[in-house]
Amino acid sequence: MVAKKSSQPALFDAASFPPDPLPWEVAAENDRLIARLVFNRPIDSTFDYLVPDGLRTLIAPGQRVKAPFGKGDRPTVGYCVALAATSEQKRLKTIESILDRQPLVSANMLSLTRWIADYYLCSWGQVLESVVPAGVKQQAGTRLVTSFVCTNREAADPAAFKLSAKQKVVLEILTTAGRPMDAAELTQAADCGTAPLAALRQKGLIRAVRQRQTQSVPPSEPSSREEDLQLNADQQRALDTILGLQRAGQHRTVLLHGVTGSGKTEVYIQAIREVVSYGRQAIVLVPEISLTPQTIRRFRRRFNSVAVLHSHLSDAERHWHWQQIASGGVEVVIGARSAVFAPTPNLGLIVIDEEHETTFKQETTPRYHARQVARQRAQIENIPLILGSATPTLESWLRVQEGQDTLVSLPQRVERRPLPPVIVVDVRNDPMCRRGAAIGRALESAMRNVLRDEVPTHGRQQAGGQIILFLNLRGFSPAIWCRACGASVKCPTCDVTLAWHKDRGKALCHVCDFECDPPSLCPGCGHAGLRYVGIGTQRLEQEVRARFPGTSCVRMDSDSMRKRGSHDAALEQFRAGDARILLGTQMIAKGLDFPNVTLVGVVNADTILHQPDFRASERTFQLISQVSGRTGRGPRGGRVLVQTSAPDEPAIVLAAKHDFATFVKHEWVHRQALLAPPCRQFTRIIIRGKDAERVRDEAKRIAQLCTDTAKTAGVDVRLLGPAPAPVSRIKGQYRFHIMLAALEGDAIRTVWRKVVSQLSPREDVAWTVDVDPINLR
Ligand code: ADP
Ligand code: ZN
């Protein structure tokens, strides 16, 4: 990995300072200043450098510097993480320049990133590089401008200078302003050209300074204000517990377990209210998918300044928000995973909504989980952390059971609205499904019922209820098979079956995005009878349109939502009642609040259940619960139909009964039997390369090293594998994996650090380490 070259010029160049030491500096010759640096390389050590005298007063931990590093001492960007007077390293090199005027990260953020590197087994430099947004490093959206200030020389002796009328005006404006002004501003205010400025400068009465100026400020849309709601008894109890912890000024994690629609968000808002009243800030993490205008509006109506950090921000916008947040000018930061690093100067509370969501885990180095990082940050800053969910993870549930975290529950929906009845439909004997339809008989008749209703309210005719259909397979058909030889048509570079995307007329690989015209002959046996099998959202849409002609329907999946803003537009269309049916993938399963939805259909509950992942049951349970949460939110009530071929599966049966407690107990026994998280800690090592044989051999070698190291160190770390990964090839790279399991994650870390020190980098085989893996493909 090569550190990205900074586009920002060095602000303070060592070379531009006088090389001759001043007398006092000579005297203090032994008094060396040492900067401890880390680099964006997979090497977890710090490197000591001498700070040249000219930079002594300018350097601070948290800044980036340029220093000779690696082969040929190439000038390389590094992060200063500490200053020291002595070093144990011999023959120190010298820093060349400092890149940032101000530290990019605070002392707290330095300790947090250090912790992440330790916990997730990567380097401090890699973490820092990833935590500070590119737009901040480049100071995107700002530019250096030349401005002028008065030197005040004429004040001492006004008679000594002969000034023209215009020059006098310019000088007066500048004096009154009391701040630097650039040429354009100044000439406009004085109604003159640039000649008076040049003259004043020559006489030494004004002086040019270089200043960084923000070019554009994103306008924040004004929102009407709304009062806080009167909490119900359960909400009040939850809030009191949280406020108690806040006032005690202690770190504690609260698990807010509340069924969908129980009013968790209102509790977050009022907990934040208190923090804000002390002049502190709050961070609210939500899954990227839930960063809808609806969510944002809800916070904007309650707080004066809300910053939203989402993935569509330009570098300049991100930089601007970062500055605003760092200056303390933002009360609430809402964002996806990476907002956990928002530079709030005086953080009072962190909230993670939908804490069970897998998108809180980053799938590139550093492979952190925002929940884990938030916990650590809350500990460092001595503040509470709230985790909210209708279906908490077993990991979070375990901590409550062990008394490490505090549980508060909202067992009922607000206004005692009932949770919707969930009907499990066995599609194995359904005549329609057996003929290949997506929608079985029961679901069809439920849909017709909803669509028939035209409910009169308040004397006027209003549209009847609305329907959400959920299916988490995109495309038209998820697989292409050969009738003759039974082989599937695979991606040329990945070990996955191509999916048929009718809208584009292409066969697509969902792993690497490879696309091609659909083959007419089987690549294996040459047979001409290829079949598209399975049902994706595109095919579901076609079926809905055919079976419910004249009923408006919108589809939401990553194919139909590729344009920015189309997501919000589709939701608005549905909200306005311009569409009766909304169908789509995960995108529509979470957080949406449409009181008019009276039917939710889960088209196929089995897609996740059969994945080779020990969390398959838990995910299925979560998904059915989340999807059920999309209905019965208004006075009209609603119900859910779940189509499955495994109607006795506990995850499905218990989700249908809204019985989280029994599900957790059941799942816990299962995990114990498997020796899987959270009963054990897992760390996954993925080994990959172009040559299958070499990858396998290296995987074996690493596994052996792990076994031997664990034995020598006397720690109980078990190995699963090496084995080919479930997706055994991606983009032409063969993949093997090893799972390290132990009661304590630290035992694994001890072993892995020793193993790494014995692994030399290889050209042909690479490895990655994933602590607490979520994605097991
Ligand atoms: P959750 O986050 O648990 O899914 P929300 O906070 O979104 O639940 O609340 C669901 C709905 O109930 C929202 O429309 C919200 O405005 C409303 N609500 C929440 N608390 C109250 C309350 N105390 N009184 C009346 N309405 C409430
Ligand atoms: Zn592919």
Side-chain angles (χ1 to χ4, degrees), residues 291-338:
L291 274 174
T292 58
Q294 198 187 359
T295 312
I296 296 163
R297 226 178 288 131
R298 209 161 155 191
F299 282 88
R300 288 237 158 100
R301 285 191 176 147
R302 303 293 187 85
F303 296 97
N304 293 323
S305 48
V306 175
V308 181
L309 301 176
H310 55 77
S311 59
H312 295 305
L313 290 180
S314 68
D315 279 348
E317 286 169 328
R318 197 172 294 278
H319 180 222
W320 187 82
H321 281 301
W322 181 276
Q323 296 284 340
Q324 290 295 305
I325 295 168
S327 72
V330 169
E331 291 174 346
V332 186
V333 180
I334 308 181
R337 185 175 62 226
S338 63

Side-chain angles (χ1 to χ4, degrees), residues 23 31 72 109 117 131 140 262 275 281-282 292 333 380 420 443 500 503 509 532 534 633 635 654 657 725-726 774:
D31 174 19
M109 199 54 73
V131 157
S262 56
V275 164
Q281 304 89 36
T292 58
V333 180
I380 293 173
L443 183 53
W500 167 233
D503 60 344
C509 170
Y532 299 132
R633 297 178 79 96
L654 295 169
K657 290 189 196 158
I774 293 282

Side-chain angles (χ1 to χ4, degrees), residues 229-232 235 261-266 298 414 593:
L229 297 175
Q230 182 71 39
L231 298 182
N232 64 34
Q235 287 174 315
S262 56
K264 295 185 287 294
T265 311
E266 196 58 36
R298 209 161 155 191
V414 291
D593 187 0

